[in-house]
């Protein structure tokens, strides 16, 4: 079973089983008490009786109000026995408890690093702001069950992200994730040390298993969310007739994702970059859909799966990825986009957002992940200019 890591403050999300009545039975003391008051007779020829009757009627009204309120409260408790969850401290939650809520936004970090860089932090923060009613989960391979990171962590990004009420950070335990999927046998046989693209291949596999088991949306950690995605079952076109796997969403146990996992194992070739990623999604989509070129900004649909226009996530294509780190005379409005993929895989020179540079990426940070911009970029650069205490 997936296990939890202590990461956040008690004021945030959590789940707690509601107190349910045994065998569905409710106590009836309120009903008897009200009946006693209502049925009490008034003594004959008592001059004070009319006043007492009025007082009793007022009491009856008040008691009826409290009685109805109590019934409604008990009904809410009973209904919570089915939904099962109420807010409490999120530091006690397991990944399964959060994922079982459904509609999660899932990010993966399959390297061993423990400090998310600013672009990862921006991706998670922007999703948390755009999807405030959904759990945002960052799975990190570098974490273990014994890792305890909280708001006072020396890792600035951990402190920032864990302070957000709907953000959860958990260890990525691949063997557990692959249970009950076609990927488990592959995982038990593969030798990671001999795999050229293991970081990418293991991420490709993990995202398929998590979305198949629990449903929701998967996003790469270089995707900045700018508005909600309205689709439930979708793939993102990187270009006409070619699907990416950097962002996709499906309900739990969807057949298309199961078929992708089976093909992942059947056609596995870890030496070819993307063979288990975008090429997998594309070849599986072609088996059920007649893909055609996009015209304008319309989306395509096939077998109840939306194949979203490249403008939705890739308005700047990968050959022009560097434009995110350039100054524009007039910034694009991205009116047809739900999120923006910044192509970090292409960023071999490690271009980064610099405070005051006025690049397109800096403007995106300011607009969609302002806490990351202020805490990890602007403030960090200000600290770099501050004189050290050791300097005389």
């Amino acid at each position: 079973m997936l296990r939890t890591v202590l990461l956040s403050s008690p004021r945030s999300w959590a789940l707690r089983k509601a107190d349910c009545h045994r065998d569905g039975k409710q106590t009836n003391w309120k009903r008897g008490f009200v009946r006693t008051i209502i049925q009490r007779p008034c003594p004959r020829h008592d001059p004070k009786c009319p006043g007492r009757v009025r007082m009793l009627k007022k009491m009856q009204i008040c008691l009826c109000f409290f009685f109805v309120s109590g019934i409604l409260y008990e009904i809410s408790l009973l209904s919570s026995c089915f939904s099962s969850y109420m807010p409490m401290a999120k530091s006690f939650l397991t990944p399964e408890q959060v994922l079982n809520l459904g509609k999660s936004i899932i990010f993966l970090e399959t390297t061993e690093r423990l400090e998310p860089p600013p672009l990862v932090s921006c991706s998670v923060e922007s999703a948390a702001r755009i999807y405030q009613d959904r759990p945002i989960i960052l799975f990190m391979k570098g974490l273990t069950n014994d890792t305890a990171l909280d708001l006072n962590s020396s890792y600035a990004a951990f402190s920032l992200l864990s302070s957000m009420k709907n953000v959860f950070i958990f260890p990525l335990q691949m063997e557990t994730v692959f249970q009950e999927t076609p990927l488990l046998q592959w995982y038990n046989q593969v030798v990671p040390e001999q795999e050229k693209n293991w970081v990418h291949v293991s991420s490709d596999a993990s995202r398929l298993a998590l979305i198949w088991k629990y449903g929701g949306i998967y996003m790469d950690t270089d995707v900045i969310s700018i508005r909600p995605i309205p689709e439930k079952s979708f793939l993102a076109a990187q270009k006409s007739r070619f699907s990416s796997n950097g962002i996709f969403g499906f309900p739990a146990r969807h057949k298309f994702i199961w078929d992708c996992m089976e093909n992942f194992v059947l056609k596995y070739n870890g030496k070819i970059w993307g063979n288990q990623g975008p090429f997998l999604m594309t070849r599986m989509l072609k088996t059920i859909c007649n893909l055609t070129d996009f015209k304008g900004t319309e989306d395509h649909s096939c077998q109840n799966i939306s194949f979203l226009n490249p403008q939705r996530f890739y308005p700047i294509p990968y050959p022009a990825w560097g434009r995110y780190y350039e100054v524009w005379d007039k910034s694009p409005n991205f009116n047809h986009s739900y999120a923006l993929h910044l192509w970090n895989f292409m960023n071999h020179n490690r271009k980064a957002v610099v405070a005051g540079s006025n690049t397109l990426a800096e403007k995106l940070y300011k607009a969609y992940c302002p806490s990351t911009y202020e805490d990890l970029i602007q403030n960090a650069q200000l600290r770099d200019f501050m004189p050290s205490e050791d300097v005389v």
Side-chain angles (χ1 to χ4, degrees), residues 108-128:
L108 294 174
E109 175 59 74
T110 51
T111 70
E112 297 289 343
R113 65 186 177 190
L114 287 175
E115 172 66 344
L119 182 52
V120 175
S121 177
C122 183
S123 297
V124 176
E125 179 189 346
S126 65

Side-chain angles (χ1 to χ4, degrees), residues 231-242:
E231 309 290 341
K232 292 184 179 180
S233 300
F234 72 90
L235 293 172
Q238 183 174 317
K239 59 182 180 180
S240 287
R241 310 188 191 201
F242 188 82

Side-chain angles (χ1 to χ4, degrees), residues 31-61:
R31 191 183 305 111
F33 182 59
V34 172
R35 187 184 299 114
T36 300
I37 295 295
I38 293 175
Q39 293 179 347
R40 183 177 178 181
C42 180
R44 186 176 298 177
H45 307 302
D46 187 345
K48 298 181 179 180
C49 187
R52 188 177 297 129
V53 169
R54 287 193 296 271
M55 181 181 69
L56 286 175
K57 286 184 177 179
K58 291 180 180 179
M59 291 179 63
Q60 290 168 11
I61 293 172

Side-chain angles (χ1 to χ4, degrees), residues 88-100:
M88 203 177 65
K90 78 175 184 181
S91 59
F92 298 102
L93 294 178
T94 66
E96 283 183 335
Q97 287 175 317
V98 179
L99 287 163
N100 282 331

Side-chain angles (χ1 to χ4, degrees), residues 108-111 113 141 172 174 178 186 192 195-208 218 220-222 245 264 268-270 272-278 344-346 348 350:
L108 294 174
E109 175 59 74
T110 51
T111 70
R113 65 186 177 190
K141 185 175 180 293
L172 176 60
M174 293 185 189
F178 297 144
W186 160 81
E195 294 290 325
K196 178 182 177 182
N197 298 301
W198 179 246
V199 169
H200 302 288
V201 169
S202 59
S203 178
D204 293 335
S206 298
R207 68 189 71 175
L208 289 172
Y218 166 81
D220 276 350
T221 52
D222 56 352
N245 75 328
F264 182 107
Y268 182 74
N269 187 340
I272 302 176
W273 185 90
N275 187 61
Q276 277 64 237
N344 194 53
F345 177 73
M346 304 292 294
H348 303 299
R350 294 292 176 256

